[in-house]
């Protein structure tokens, strides 16, 4: 019998992920129009064009081989940056006040890119076969660099990612996770152990201040719920909304993706952002649970790990506003919707 032809794929711009991205772009544009400072907010609009990475990736990743190349490129870049970070760590960047940045503008950017690189490579190790599984062992390099950045949101994000992957794909692995975490905790340097312990401590000044930032964000949302105070306006208006007990008068952002977006661009924009990640989680989870082909499962696992790590980390850091991290995140979110993973296999 002849192979059954699949119907032509729908345009990438009509993908559920692309529609959510378009809704987000629309609300950011409206927030700029109704901003407290439209001219100042207009400078933020250029970043909206990054959302075009979603339909572009969906169209271009039309085979598993192309998807693998995209993830290997992300992994290779993370490995290259990690070696720069290792050199920095060995030459004085081994404490909280001189944190390694891999040659980038900020250690948060470095930790985000290292986490994404480690996650996409880990997908090959967990799901693929042969030489690609062996290549997945290189995930150890960027993940080690991520640990050395002292970045707690990355720690929490990666832990949530690996735990959720095990729930979806290998529930029995949860039995191994706890003792593995204990061994990891005992193996890392003492300053990093102290940093891990401080994650849930309300005695930590940074933790307390981030709670107060979120509360200030809620006050902004209460005053400007529909279109927000305006893109790029949270920082200049923060002194008017800060709690008197807050440590800093000036901040760059509110250290939370959802609260930052809702404060700056309004509740509709925040809902569009949550819809964007929500449709990703639904598609990736359904596909990962039933996928039997190792090569396709490796891409889905890498996408799930990286996407969930960035979302959870974004509850404690505004990583969706970090251009380099946002670009890598959008690539990862688009892969489960790509031609390579949505096209039905031909049946003979």
């Amino acid at each position: 019998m002849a192979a059954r032809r699949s119907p032509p794929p729908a345009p990438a711009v009509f993908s559920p992920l692309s529609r959510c991205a378009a809704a987000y772009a629309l609300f950011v544009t409206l927030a700029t129009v109704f901003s407290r400072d439209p001219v100042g907010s207009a400078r933020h609009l250029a970043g909206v064009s990054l959302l075009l990475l979603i339909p572009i990736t969906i169209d271009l990743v039309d085979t598993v081989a192309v998807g693998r190349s995209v993830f290997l490129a992300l992994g290779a870049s993370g490995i290259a940056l990690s070696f720069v970070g290792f050199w920095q760590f060995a030459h004085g960047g081994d404490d909280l006040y001189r944190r390694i940045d891999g040659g980038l503008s900020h250690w948060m950017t470095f930790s985000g890119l290292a986490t994404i690189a480690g996650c996409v490579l880990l997908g090959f190790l967990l799901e693929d076969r042969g030489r690609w599984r062996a290549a997945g062992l290189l995930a150890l390099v960027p993940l080690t660099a991520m640990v050395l950045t002292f970045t707690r949101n990355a720690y929490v994000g990666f832990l949530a990612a690996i735990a959720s992957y095990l729930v979806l794909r290998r529930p029995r692995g949860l039995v191994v996770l706890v003792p593995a975490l204990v061994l990891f905790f005992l193996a890392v340097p003492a300053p990093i152990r102290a940093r891990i312990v401080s994650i849930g401590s309300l005695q930590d000044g940074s933790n307390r201040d981030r709670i107060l930032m979120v509360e200030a964000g809620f006050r902004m949302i209460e005053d400007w719920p529909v279109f927000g105070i305006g893109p790029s306006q949270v920082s200049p208006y923060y002194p008017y909304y800060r709690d008197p007990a807050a440590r800093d008068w000036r901040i760059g952002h509110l250290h939370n993706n959802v609260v930052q977006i809702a404060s700056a661009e309004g509740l509709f924009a925040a809902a569009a952002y949550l819809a964007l990640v929500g449709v990703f989680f639904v598609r990736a989870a359904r596909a990962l649970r039933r996928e039997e082909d190792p090569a396709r499962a490796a891409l889905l696992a890498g996408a799930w790990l990286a996407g969930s790590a960035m979302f959870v980390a974004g509850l404690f850091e505004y990583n969706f506003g970090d251009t380099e991290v946002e670009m890598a995140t959008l690539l990862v979110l688009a892969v489960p919707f790509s031609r390579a993973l949505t096209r039905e296999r031909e049946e003979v």
Side-chain angles (χ1 to χ4, degrees), residues 259-271:
V259 177
Q260 174 72 26
I261 292 171
S263 301
E265 288 124 24
L267 291 173
F268 290 110

Side-chain angles (χ1 to χ4, degrees), residues 3-345:
R4 188 173 69 185
R5 294 181 179 274
S6 299
V13 292
F14 294 138
S15 162
L17 196 70
S18 297
R19 292 178 180 180
C20 292
Y24 176 71
L26 172 63
F27 291 124
V28 171
T29 303
L30 290 173
T32 301
V33 173
F34 294 100
S35 170
R36 306 305 300 163
D37 179 10
V39 175
S41 294
R43 292 192 293 268
H44 182 82
L45 278 178
V48 173
S49 63
L50 294 179
L51 296 169
L52 291 172
L53 284 170
I54 289 176
I56 290 171
T57 303
I58 290 173
D59 266 337
L60 291 184
V61 180
D62 56 352
T63 66
V64 170
V66 174
R68 183 186 295 124
S69 296
V70 171
F71 277 8
L72 289 175
L74 287 173
S77 65
I79 289 172
L81 293 171
S82 296
F83 282 119
V84 177
F86 294 153
W87 185 92
Q88 292 175 327
F89 192 85
H91 291 79
D94 57 351
D95 61 48
L96 190 59
Y97 304 100
R98 294 173 293 178
R99 296 157 73 175
I100 61 177
D101 57 21
L104 298 173
S105 59
H106 200 279
W107 60 78
M108 290 290 187
T109 303
F110 178 43
S111 67
L113 292 179
T115 302
I116 292 173
C119 285
V120 296
L121 290 173
L122 192 59
F124 294 117
L125 178 63
L126 294 171
E127 295 288 350
D128 220 325
R129 300 290 182 268
R131 58 175 178 167
W132 301 121
R133 168 166 281 184
L137 291 170
L138 293 171
L140 182 64
V141 177
L143 291 177
T144 300
M146 177 268 288
V147 170
L148 297 180
T149 63
F150 292 86
T151 308
R152 294 176 296 185
N153 67 75
Y155 299 167
V156 176
F158 179 73
L159 176 59
I162 196 68
S164 61
Y165 165 80
L166 292 174
V167 169
L168 283 173
R169 192 74 171 168
R170 306 176 190 276
R172 293 181 181 179
L174 292 170
V175 178
V176 182
L177 182 60
V178 173
L181 290 174
V182 172
L183 291 175
F184 165 79
F185 181 78
L186 295 175
V188 297
I192 293 177
R193 284 202 300 272
R195 188 69 171 160
I196 294 172
V197 170
S198 72
I199 288 176
S201 173
L202 292 180
Q203 303 304 314
D204 182 89
S206 178
N207 289 349
R208 292 197 307 272
D209 211 46
R210 293 192 182 197
I211 293 172
L212 296 177
M213 288 180 196
V214 169
E215 293 175 354
F218 288 157
R219 288 190 284 274
M220 293 182 190
I221 296 168
E222 186 177 0
D223 284 352
W224 313 98
V226 180
F227 297 120
I229 201 167
S232 302
Q233 298 307 302
V234 168
S235 180
Y237 277 87
Y238 177 74
Y240 300 101
Y241 287 92
R242 69 179 286 276
D243 190 284
R247 182 178 60 184
D248 299 321
W249 278 87
R250 297 287 181 180
I251 61 168
H253 49 74
L254 298 174
H255 290 277
N256 181 294
N257 282 339
V258 179
V259 177
Q260 174 72 26
I261 292 171
S263 301
E265 288 124 24
L267 291 173
F268 290 110
Y273 165 76
L274 290 173
L276 182 77
V277 294
V279 297
F280 161 78
F281 283 131
V282 171
R283 172 66 64 87
R286 288 177 176 174
L288 185 58
R289 279 176 177 168
R290 65 172 182 261
E291 186 56 63
E292 298 178 357
D293 179 73
R296 291 162 62 99
L299 295 181
L300 289 167
W304 176 270
L305 289 167
S308 54
M310 287 300 98
F311 175 71
V312 174
L315 298 176
F316 311 97
E317 173 62 25
Y318 182 40
N319 56 24
F320 202 67
D322 189 326
T323 300
E324 295 91 339
V325 175
E326 182 186 355
M327 291 173 66
T329 301
L330 292 174
L331 285 173
V332 165
L333 297 184
V335 165
F337 297 83
S338 66
R339 306 288 183 221
L341 297 182
T342 56
R343 180 184 296 138
E344 295 182 5
R345 297 186 184 89

